[in-house]
Amino acid sequence: MTSIGGAEMVDWNLAVSTATRLVRPGPEVTRDEARAVVAELRRHAKASEEHVRAFTRMIPEGHEPEDTPVLVVDRAGWVKANVAGFRELLSPMLEKMRERRSGSPGGAVLGAVGGKVTGVELGMLLSFLASRVLGQYETFAPATRELPAGAKGGGRLLLVAPNIVHVERELDADPHDFRLWVCLHEETHRTQFAGVPWLRDHLKNEIQSFLAATDMDPATVLERLREAAQALAGARPEGERDEDGRSLVELVQTPEQREVLGRLTAVMSLLEGHADYVMDGVGPQVVPSVAEIREKFQQRRARGASRLDLALRKLLGLDAKLRQYRDGERFVRAVVDQVGMDGFNRVWTSPNTLPTKAEIAAPSDWVARVHRRAE
């Protein structure tokens, strides 16, 4: 762990223990039912490989990319996997903070106290998310004894069994269809990174650029947090415009970070929208009740579970995540309609052919830039 004389900047173990203590229990199932769910999810994940690769044509026939493991986990397992991923991504920023704080009076004491506080806060956040995530392709997944990952920094695919069972019951969906439908979405993410070797490093570099631009001056950070709290509470001075209803995460950014965030938003919209497009494109062939599942699931996404859930989604920026699904899917559909699947797949040529945030909203502009210029 990143530490100052043993004082951790983030107490990762406390984050895990806090999250696992606070996370809601999963749906009631017998031991035999749980085993059957795990076995079926593994079968569906395997079957999804063939369906997704045939539909997307991202991986040439006869080419077998590096394999990444599929892990069916419970909520605590999802927490542990994500804490490991956070440690991997945040280590450069935490090292920068450690170097800055080590020279200040009382730095070790502040590190010890701050690490505990941050660990608890991170644990609370993860406990909220752990009961909502159905599946996740972990792009930056360091291998651990409990959680294997692909070789050479490859990722892993997580399927959160209790959450999948909870949602299929809530929607009154056919369990077999719903489980395959979820696997199709997550397998698309695995195919994206398996079929585009440069994508992982590009995304990591963008995230590291975002973190490197973090303002390390505590007074400035506190001032931004104060402004963010006022904005979220509707307490802005009279005549001052609201900043487009942005989340706390967005409001505390520097101008440089917002520029990087624009590029990241475009990439994530592409990846999420592509996964939704593929899921629905493959669905009618292999998921008989796909139309019913999609309609119910969209309604669930839109309304949230409660007023508290809606407030937390807004605060954490999860509403932006939902927009990424919607806007990205519209982009992919429009491009495929204009230039076909092979024409769309030019998007994976290099970082220069990825859509900009503006092009996500105007797919014809991407087609004009990438296709007509190439011709």
Side-chain angles (χ1 to χ4, degrees):
M1 295 186 181
T2 304
S3 61
I4 308 172
E8 302 158 359
M9 296 290 287
V10 178
D11 191 329
W12 301 106
N13 291 333
L14 183 58
V16 172
S17 62
T18 299
T20 52
R21 185 175 68 252
L22 295 179
V23 71
R24 299 175 183 175
E28 292 187 8
V29 294
T30 66
R31 182 169 296 183
D32 288 343
E33 286 174 332
R35 287 173 177 164
V37 170
V38 170
E40 184 171 25
L41 286 172
R42 286 176 176 155
R43 290 196 303 271
H44 285 332
K46 185 63 179 176
S48 295
E49 285 186 27
E50 181 179 346
H51 297 312
V52 170
R53 293 182 185 185
F55 185 83
T56 63
R57 302 199 286 274
M58 289 182 64
I59 299 177
E61 194 171 341
H63 175 72
E64 193 62 32
E66 176 191 334
D67 193 26
T68 53
V70 176
L71 307 179
V72 182
V73 298
D74 59 11
R75 291 170 177 175
W78 181 86
V79 166
K80 292 175 183 176
N82 276 265
V83 166
F86 281 146
R87 289 179 65 178
E88 178 86 359
L89 274 180
L90 295 178
S91 58
M93 185 185 74
L94 293 178
E95 179 62 22
K96 184 178 177 181
M97 293 178 68
R98 184 194 69 80
E99 292 174 356
R100 180 163 182 166
R101 184 177 285 176
S102 61
S104 63
V109 175
L110 288 173
V113 174
K116 296 295 183 185
V117 172
T118 307
V120 170
E121 290 174 340
L122 178 58
M124 293 173 66
L125 169 63
L126 289 172
S127 73
F128 170 75
L129 296 174
S131 61
R132 286 157 174 77
V133 176
L134 302 181
Q136 175 185 3
Y137 181 77
E138 270 206 295
T139 314
F140 314 106
T144 67
R145 184 172 58 184
E146 296 179 344
L147 298 163
K152 301 178 183 178
R156 58 183 166 230
L157 182 61
L158 304 178
L159 298 169
V160 191
N163 295 350
I164 293 173
V165 172
H166 171 77
V167 174
E168 70 190 25
R169 290 178 178 178
E170 184 182 283
L171 300 181
D172 192 27
D174 179 279
H176 308 293
D177 285 4
F178 185 76
R179 293 166 195 175
L180 177 55
W181 189 68
V182 170
C183 288
L184 289 170
H185 181 101
E186 303 308 330
E187 176 57 36
T188 302
H189 287 316
R190 187 162 69 148
T191 299
Q192 289 164 347
F193 286 91
V196 186
W198 54 264
L199 183 58
R200 180 184 183 274
D201 286 341
H202 172 73
L203 196 57
K204 186 173 184 177
N205 289 338
E206 291 283 57
I207 293 172
Q208 296 293 4
S209 296
F210 181 87
L211 296 176
T214 300
D215 196 327
M216 293 297 157
D217 176 32
T220 302
V221 173
L222 287 174
E223 177 64 18
R224 287 211 179 95
L225 287 171
R226 183 187 65 79
E227 293 173 358
Q230 287 182 343
L232 290 167
R236 285 190 163 277
E238 187 175 354
E240 187 174 344
R241 294 182 60 191
D242 178 60
E243 298 192 49
D244 301 323
R246 287 182 296 177
S247 69
L248 176 62
V249 175
E250 292 171 295
L251 285 166
V252 298
Q253 291 158 10
T254 65
E256 185 179 351
Q257 284 178 308
R258 288 175 185 166
E259 183 179 337
V260 177
L261 183 71
R263 297 195 299 268
L264 277 171
T265 298
V267 175
M268 297 311 297
S269 296
L270 171 69
L271 298 180
E272 295 294 357
H274 183 235
D276 263 15
Y277 178 81
V278 172
M279 178 172 62
D280 288 346
V282 175
Q285 306 169 38
V286 296
V287 182
S289 58
V290 65
E292 178 186 352
I293 290 174
R294 164 57 75 187
E295 181 180 0
K296 290 180 177 179
F297 196 74
Q298 291 286 50
Q299 291 173 357
R300 181 181 184 273
R301 272 182 180 172
R303 68 174 182 265
S306 65
R307 291 182 63 186
L308 174 62
D309 188 67
L310 290 172
L312 286 170
R313 280 185 0 189
K314 179 70 175 176
L315 179 67
L316 300 174
L318 300 184
D319 281 349
K321 176 79 167 177
L322 300 182
R323 288 196 297 273
Q324 287 174 3
Y325 286 104
R326 184 178 63 247
D327 297 345
E329 196 273 342
R330 278 202 296 256
F331 170 84
V332 175
R333 186 173 300 280
V335 171
V336 172
D337 286 347
Q338 290 183 54
V339 296
M341 182 62 76
D342 291 332
F344 164 78
N345 280 340
R346 287 195 189 182
V347 79
W348 312 117
T349 304
S350 75
N352 293 329
T353 56
L354 291 172
T356 63
K357 189 176 179 181
E359 288 170 341
I360 288 289
S364 294
D365 291 351
W366 179 87
V367 172
R369 176 172 68 88
V370 173
H371 281 264
R372 292 173 192 169
R373 188 172 298 177
E375 291 166 1

